[in-house]
């Protein structure tokens, strides 16, 4: 199987279950703010530590792995992914903003193994793999 994301800047973030945000949650605003701040810091620090550099515009593919193989709606992870993207912007690694001019699309997918089975993260954690497809990459789709 050919990997369409070969050579694409990638950021893997392991997130504790207690700080996972979904669209279906009804959290107290303090709890949500705490988790959002933690996610932003994690993404910022990880992007800087990995030496990630981006050339906008980019399309972001958010691959989501759960600790189980149960069914899951990947788009429900949007609050988590949004906080992580904000952290990438905070890292100042070439992405000045996450607006429509810099990030042309965000696609949510269930992370799968090469055998097409859902990938499992470690117990009590979620794994978010952000793949930044730059406009010069063959996988980039202009809209």
């Amino acid at each position: 199987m050919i990997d369409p994301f070969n050579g694409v800047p990638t950021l893997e973030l392991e997130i504790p279950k207690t700080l996972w945000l979904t669209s279906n949650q009804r959290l107290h605003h303090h709890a949500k703010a705490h988790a959002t701040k933690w996610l932003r810091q994690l993404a910022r620090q990880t992007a800087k530590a990995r030496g990630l550099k981006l050339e906008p515009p980019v399309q972001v593919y958010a691959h989501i792995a759960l600790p189980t193989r149960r069914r899951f709606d990947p788009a429900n992870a949007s609050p988590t992914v949004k906080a992580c993207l904000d952290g990438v912007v905070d890292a100042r690694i070439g992405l000045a903003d996450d607006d429509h001019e810099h990030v042309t699309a965000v696609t949510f997918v269930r992370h799968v193994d090469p055998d097409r089975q859902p990938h499992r993260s470690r117990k009590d954690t979620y794994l978010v793999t952000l793949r930044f497809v730059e406009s010069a990459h063959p996988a980039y789709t202009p809209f």
Side-chain angles (χ1 to χ4, degrees):
M1 183 170 112
I2 297 172
D3 181 8
F5 297 105
N6 188 27
V8 170
T10 300
L11 185 64
E12 282 193 2
L13 303 167
E14 191 173 61
I15 300 167
K17 185 178 179 181
T18 56
L19 296 171
W20 184 249
L21 298 174
T22 72
S23 300
N24 295 335
Q25 288 174 321
R26 302 294 175 251
L27 294 176
H28 188 274
H29 63 277
H30 289 294
K32 184 176 179 185
H34 170 73
T36 300
K37 180 179 179 180
W38 190 90
L39 291 166
R40 280 181 85 145
Q41 289 175 342
L42 172 69
R44 179 177 45 83
Q45 292 170 351
T46 306
K48 281 186 171 184
R50 299 257 159 63
L52 199 65
K53 297 288 181 201
L54 300 175
E55 292 290 328
V58 298
Q59 293 171 344
V60 179
Y61 288 81
H63 295 256
I64 313 297
L66 287 70
T68 65
R69 292 187 185 211
R70 64 182 166 84
R71 289 179 41 169
F72 172 68
D73 179 359
N76 275 340
S78 61
T80 295
V81 172
K82 171 63 173 143
C84 293
L85 283 176
D86 288 341
V88 170
V89 170
D90 294 344
R92 299 175 191 248
I93 57 169
L95 198 60
D97 198 356
D98 58 353
D99 64 4
H100 71 282
E101 292 180 3
H102 296 87
V103 177
T104 58
V106 179
T107 304
F108 298 88
V109 294
R110 176 71 189 256
H111 190 80
V112 294
D113 291 326
D115 62 356
R116 306 301 298 159
Q117 293 298 314
H119 181 78
R120 291 178 59 185
S121 60
R122 294 185 319 135
K123 184 178 181 186
D124 295 327
T125 65
Y126 292 85
L127 182 66
V128 174
T129 304
L130 299 176
R131 300 180 191 270
F132 300 91
V133 179
E134 298 167 326
S135 60
H137 193 277
Y140 186 86
T141 308
F143 290 100

